[in-house]
């Protein structure tokens, strides 16, 4: 774009921005910043970007910053806005492709933080395959009130408790005032922190990327180091597809299972693998889940937060402990050194925040893949956040065709212990957009029903969800999936231990219902209409076909 006589017009435009001849000769580095005044996890990202650009200049590069869109899932939760959250992932990837192809640069530093922004940028990194590094904005500190630490997931649960008359208006407001005390991605092992940790595990972020607090000086030092490091990656010509491969994906999936990450990571890792042309599918994830111990149990599954994990060594300490079982590929390269070099000096597990592989929280992973006649193509549950008594539940189906209808029934006291709540037409096509549904799961918790009620959906759940909540049921109702033919009162078994999702009707009755089944349709317009036409199943990562 900038060398030779024919590029004199382009150089004149660069000089219009104040660049000197010497700067024009240097490497141009894109800084893709998702800063937004409307997202608490992104409010501070200009500070992170400033340190990244310092690092780039320190190492002899010239930074050029541009911004992407982003959706805060907490703000978008439980209304129409959530239909646009997963959809934004593809828009983010596409917009970065546009910017970095129209304005060719030499390498990229990505600054994401929240749910769909991280995978959207990873999709773009794989697609463009320019030397790249990620540095997230980091997690917020947990809230604290009356000596209790808590996070955003509990805030949704307090809404249910308030509806049940268990807490007063004044108590609800007090919890509200203290839940989110700083900027940063929400404080538990929700989707944002899960994806930032897995970006580190797969090798695209420096150690500490997933866990150093947003407000810490260490987070800003990490940003400056990332800016300096991108120049070394450019010099060595190390690109995302050199780092992201089947072995590094296995490392990420092992960490996903060991940490008990958000079920949404299944969607995103499948999509990233698809973009990178790496063979990872739902069966691979199921296999890794069955052979990886869970050694961490963070909020919302417990009262340990992402900042607590940071103090005990973070992701390198987790990977080092897993390596004792020979299930971490230590020879994988990362944006700085190999995995083996990265974990060599990590601390030993403390036994409380990071358990040993000899004494894990559970012998299999925090995420389980379920199959059965209700989910021929699979379904996903965060089993590490399910109470032992709810690992298997058989009960009558309570069927709802939208999240709103289900919430009305829960808050209205119409759901009984033992019920299996079914929410359909919330999948990638049927929603469209596969809304996160933290409101109904939190309502069940707040009203004391999470220990007796299961929930299944072709939609998805927030990383903040806990309980027997099974999502991504595929095929979805809108694609003629069996979840669309469940009738009120049918007997359904959710067997997480046996990894099965079963509708108790005969094969003949199943065939008869499917033959006469016509999925419901919705009047759509704008981006949602285009999205619904292009998007594929949740079992394939809800990607667009290439």
């Amino acid at each position: 774009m900038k060398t030779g006589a024919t590029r004199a017009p382009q150089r004149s435009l660069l000089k219009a921005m104040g660049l000197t001849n010497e700067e024009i000769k240097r490497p141009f580095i894109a800084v893709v910043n998702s800063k937004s005044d409307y997202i608490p996890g992104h409010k501070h990202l200009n500070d992170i970007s400033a340190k990244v650009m310092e690092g780039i200049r320190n190492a002899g590069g010239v930074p050029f910053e541009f911004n992407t869109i982003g959706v805060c899932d907490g703000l978008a939760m439980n209304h129409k806005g959530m239909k646009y959250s997963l959809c934004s992932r593809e828009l983010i990837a596409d917009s970065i492709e546009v910017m970095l192809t129209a304005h060719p640069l030499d390498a990229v530093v990505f600054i994401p933080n929240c749910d769909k922004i991280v995978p959207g940028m990873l999709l773009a990194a794989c697609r463009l395959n320019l030397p790249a590094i990620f540095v997230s904005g980091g997690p917020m500190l947990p809230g604290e009130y009356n000596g209790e630490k808590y996070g955003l997931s509990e805030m949704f649960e307090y809404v249910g408790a308030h509806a049940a008359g268990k807490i007063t208006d004044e108590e609800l407001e007090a919890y509200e005032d203290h839940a989110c005390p700083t900027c940063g991605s929400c404080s538990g092992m929700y989707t944002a922190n899960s994806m930032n940790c897995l970006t580190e595990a797969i090798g695209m972020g420096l150690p500490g990327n997933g866990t150093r607090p947003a407000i810490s000086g260490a987070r800003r030092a990490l940003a400056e180091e990332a800016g300096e490091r991108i120049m070394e990656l450019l010099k060595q010509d190390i690109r995302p597809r050199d780092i992201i491969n089947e072995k590094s994906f296995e490392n990420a999936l092992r960490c996903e299972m060991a940490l008990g990450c958000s079920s949404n990571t299944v969607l995103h890792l499948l999509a990233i693998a698809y973009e990178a042309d790496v063979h990872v599918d739902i069966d691979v994830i199921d296999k890794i889940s069955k052979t990886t111990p869970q050694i961490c149990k963070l909020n919302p599954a417990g009262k340990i937060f992402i900042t607590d994990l940071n103090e005990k060594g973070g992701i390198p300490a987790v990977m080092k402990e897993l390596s004792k079982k020979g299930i971490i590929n230590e020879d994988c390269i990362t944006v700085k050194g190999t995995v083996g070099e990265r974990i060599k000096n990590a601390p030993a597990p403390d036994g409380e925040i990071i358990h040993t592989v000899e004494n894990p929280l559970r012998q299999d992973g925090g995420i389980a893949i379920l199959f059965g006649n209700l989910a021929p193509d699979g379904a996903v549950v965060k089993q590490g956040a399910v109470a032992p008594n709810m690992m298997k539940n058989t009960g009558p189906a309570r069927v709802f065709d939208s999240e709103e209808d289900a919430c009305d029934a829960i808050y209205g006291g119409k759901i009984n212990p033992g019920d299996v709540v079914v929410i359909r037409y919330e999948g990638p096509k049927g929603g469209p957009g596969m809304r996160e549904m933290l409101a109904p799961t939190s309502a069940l918790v707040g009203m004391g029903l999470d220990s007796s009620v299961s929930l299944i959906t072709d939609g998805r759940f927030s990383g903040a969800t806990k309980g027997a909540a099974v999502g991504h049921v595929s095929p979805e109702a809108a694609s003629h999936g069996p979840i669309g033919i469940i009738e009120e009162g049918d007997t359904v078994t959710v067997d997480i231990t046996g990894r099965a999702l079963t509708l108790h009707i005969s094969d003949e009755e199943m065939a008869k219902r499917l033959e006469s089944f016509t999925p419901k349709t919705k009047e759509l317009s704008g981006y949602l209409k285009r999205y619904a036409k292009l998007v594929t199943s949740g079992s394939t990562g809800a990607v667009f076909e290439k």
Side-chain angles (χ1 to χ4, degrees):
M1 185 183 72
K2 59 182 184 176
T3 57
T6 59
R7 298 305 186 204
Q10 283 89 341
R11 290 194 296 274
S12 70
L13 290 169
L14 294 171
K15 290 178 179 179
M17 296 185 287
L19 271 71
T20 66
N21 284 327
E22 183 57 36
E23 285 177 313
I24 291 172
K25 294 176 185 176
R26 297 174 186 168
F28 282 7
I29 311 298
V31 178
V32 185
N33 185 3
S34 55
K35 192 268 180 184
S36 169
D37 286 340
Y38 204 41
I39 306 179
H42 292 229
K43 178 74 174 176
H44 64 302
L45 291 189
N46 278 351
D47 294 341
I48 302 299
S49 177
K51 296 301 290 184
V52 166
M53 290 192 283
E54 278 184 34
I56 292 169
R57 292 189 183 99
N58 290 346
V62 181
F64 290 84
E65 181 184 33
F66 68 89
N67 291 83
T68 68
I69 62 168
V71 172
C72 173
D73 283 21
L75 292 173
M77 196 72 66
N78 196 223
H79 59 84
K80 183 181 177 181
M82 181 50 79
K83 293 179 182 289
Y84 288 84
S85 176
L86 183 60
C87 300
S88 72
R89 187 186 71 184
E90 319 316 308
L91 280 177
I92 290 165
D94 290 349
S95 66
I96 294 169
E97 176 190 353
V98 167
M99 288 295 288
L100 293 183
T101 308
H103 314 118
L105 279 80
D106 298 297
V108 194
V109 180
F110 291 100
I111 308 176
N113 211 27
C114 290
D115 297 25
K116 307 312 153 314
I117 297 95
V118 185
M121 289 186 175
L122 282 164
L123 291 175
C126 292
R127 187 181 303 171
L128 294 163
N129 205 33
L130 293 166
I133 192 170
F134 280 66
V135 57
S136 76
M140 70 168 62
L141 300 183
E144 188 168 348
Y145 178 64
N146 278 345
E148 175 194 4
K149 284 186 176 182
Y150 65 105
L152 185 67
S153 59
E154 286 86 353
M155 273 311 306
F156 281 89
E157 292 165 14
Y158 293 143
V159 172
H162 180 265
K166 296 180 180 180
I167 62 173
T168 65
D169 292 348
E170 292 74 20
E171 287 173 314
L172 182 63
E173 184 174 1
Y175 282 120
E176 170 190 327
D177 289 343
H178 295 87
C180 300
T182 72
C183 62
S185 49
C186 294
S187 55
M189 187 54 83
Y190 311 153
T191 305
N193 288 330
S194 294
M195 286 307 304
N196 285 324
C197 287
L198 297 184
T199 299
E200 181 179 338
I202 209 168
M204 288 301 296
L206 292 166
N209 178 71
T211 58
R212 290 187 188 179
I215 62 171
S216 67
R219 172 61 55 180
R220 281 146 185 79
L222 191 73
E224 187 167 350
E225 184 182 357
E228 293 172 348
R229 188 64 198 167
I230 191 61
M231 297 301 294
E232 192 63 29
L233 291 169
L234 175 61
K235 187 183 301 182
Q236 296 177 19
D237 194 29
I238 296 174
R239 298 169 183 262
R241 292 194 182 210
D242 298 320
I243 295 171
I244 297 175
N245 51 44
E246 287 190 21
K247 293 173 72 175
S248 64
F249 255 104
E250 182 181 355
N251 286 346
L253 287 165
R254 297 288 184 190
C255 285
E256 174 188 49
M257 300 305 167
L259 291 165
C261 287
S262 164
S263 57
N264 285 317
T265 57
V266 173
L267 271 179
H268 300 319
L269 290 175
L270 286 170
I272 294 159
Y274 180 73
E275 190 67 59
D277 294 319
V278 174
H279 175 67
V280 175
D281 58 22
I282 204 80
D283 294 316
V284 170
I285 295 174
D286 184 45
K287 180 181 177 181
I288 289 176
S289 170
K290 291 175 178 176
T291 57
T292 308
Q294 184 178 356
I295 59 174
C296 296
K297 193 170 188 177
L298 281 70
N299 182 267
K303 290 298 182 181
I304 297 169
F305 291 84
I306 195 78
T307 48
D308 299 319
L309 178 62
N310 184 66
E311 291 173 3
K312 300 302 178 182
I315 302 307
V318 172
M319 296 182 79
K320 182 177 183 178
E321 185 59 20
L322 292 177
S323 71
K324 287 164 59 176
K325 285 182 68 71
I327 56 175
I328 292 295
N329 298 301
E330 296 186 36
D331 58 338
C332 286
I333 64 169
T334 75
V335 290
K336 186 179 182 180
T338 66
V339 169
E341 291 167 344
R342 178 174 289 204
I343 68 177
K344 181 179 179 181
N345 296 317
D350 67 309
E352 179 184 358
I353 293 170
I354 304 175
H355 289 242
T356 65
V357 292
E358 293 84 9
N359 186 33
L361 289 155
R362 53 183 307 124
Q363 294 294 337
D364 55 355
I367 301 289
I369 308 299
L370 278 57
F371 294 93
N373 68 352
L374 266 180
D377 295 339
V380 181
V381 63
K382 186 175 181 175
Q383 66 173 344
V386 179
N389 70 297
M390 289 304 294
M391 293 299 286
K392 184 174 182 180
N393 178 42
T394 297
R398 304 298 307 281
V399 183
F400 305 95
D401 288 345
S402 72
E403 175 188 0
E404 289 84 357
D405 289 348
C407 284
D408 288 345
I410 295 167
Y411 288 128
K414 297 177 182 178
I415 302 300
N416 304 308
D419 285 349
V420 178
V421 175
V422 178
I423 306 177
R424 59 195 182 191
Y425 295 105
E426 291 287 4
K429 285 185 178 294
M434 208 177 188
R435 284 191 288 184
E436 277 191 355
M437 288 183 281
L438 181 56
T441 56
S442 299
L444 291 171
V445 173
M447 298 186 77
L449 291 168
D450 59 310
S451 61
S452 59
V453 172
S454 300
L455 193 157
I456 67 172
T457 181
D458 53 9
R460 61 194 181 94
F461 296 111
S462 167
T465 288
K466 63 184 179 183
V470 181
H472 310 193
V473 174
S474 300
E476 62 177 292
S479 294
H480 213 261
I483 191 172
I485 63 167
I486 303 174
E487 296 178 358
E488 184 80 8
D490 280 345
T491 300
V492 172
T493 293
V494 178
D495 183 1
I496 298 171
T497 302
R499 298 187 178 231
L501 204 55
T502 307
L503 174 62
H504 292 283
I505 60 175
S506 67
D507 292 344
E508 292 77 17
E509 176 65 15
M510 174 77 79
K512 179 182 175 182
R513 289 191 192 181
L514 285 171
E515 186 177 354
S516 61
F517 173 45
T518 301
K520 293 183 177 181
T521 58
K522 298 175 182 177
E523 287 295 323
L524 301 172
S525 61
Y527 180 54
L528 286 183
K529 185 174 183 178
R530 297 196 300 276
Y531 182 86
K533 287 183 178 180
L534 294 171
V535 71
T536 61
S537 170
S539 64
T540 59
V543 297
F544 290 169
E545 290 186 8
K546 290 183 182 178

